[in-house]
Amino acid sequence: ARETTSSSFSTEAVNPMDVALAKGEMARIKAVPNPYLTHSTYEQNQFNRELKFTHLPVQCTVRIFNLAGDLIRTLQKNDGTSQLVWDLETDRGLPIGSGVYVFHVDAPRIGTHVGKVAVFMEKERLNNF
């Protein structure tokens, strides 16, 4: 006769908001590529610009400032990814110039992080003048 045995196991529910883990990840936030040199490997064609912020929490606000302290762009993130794309434009839809930019990440109930990114844009060429 064949004897059967049963095994049992248990699991714990996933904690969707591990605040301690999220706070630790805040220190890992970075902008890539840094420096941005006229283009990035994320770009699909010559007309779109992409700089990514990585290791972001599910919900946060990224504010980007120039060195004069002027707010250049505000980006909102509220999805399951850990990345956010900046098209290298201002809030008014204008392309940014070359320079160093400071980014401030604000995540509710988790904390904040400040970083910087250098951007070198290509020269504009005018064919007609």
Side-chain angles (χ1 to χ4, degrees):
R2 186 173 201 194
E3 190 176 313
T4 59
T5 60
S6 65
S7 300
S8 66
F9 63 92
S10 64
T11 62
E12 291 182 29
V14 175
N15 182 352
M17 188 58 185
D18 186 339
V19 175
L21 178 62
K23 284 182 180 181
E25 282 293 299
M26 293 290 285
R28 297 182 61 202
I29 293 173
K30 61 182 178 176
V32 290
N34 191 4
Y36 177 95
L37 300 170
T38 69
H39 70 280
S40 80
T41 57
Y42 304 122
E43 297 166 356
Q44 300 296 319
N45 61 52
Q46 67 183 11
F47 302 109
N48 75 332
R49 302 283 183 231
E50 281 193 22
L51 185 138
K52 291 186 181 183
F53 297 99
T54 63
H55 299 92
L56 294 171
V58 171
Q59 183 180 14
C60 65
T61 301
V62 178
R63 291 179 181 88
I64 303 159
F65 300 87
N66 63 17
L67 289 182
D70 300 322
L71 179 61
I72 300 298
R73 184 75 183 264
T74 301
L75 303 169
Q76 300 288 334
K77 179 185 172 309
N78 191 8
D79 60 25
T81 68
S82 64
Q83 298 182 355
L84 182 64
V85 173
W86 178 28
D87 58 7
L88 298 174
E89 291 184 356
T90 67
D91 278 332
R92 296 181 180 186
L94 299 171
I96 64 165
S98 296
V100 176
Y101 293 86
V102 175
F103 62 91
H104 177 267
V105 180
D106 185 12
R109 301 181 315 273
I110 297 171
T112 61
H113 176 78
V114 176
K116 60 186 176 224
V117 60
V119 176
F120 298 95
M121 301 298 282
E122 62 187 297
K123 285 184 181 180
E124 292 293 326
R125 295 185 185 183
L126 300 175
N127 294 329
N128 300 318
F129 50 91

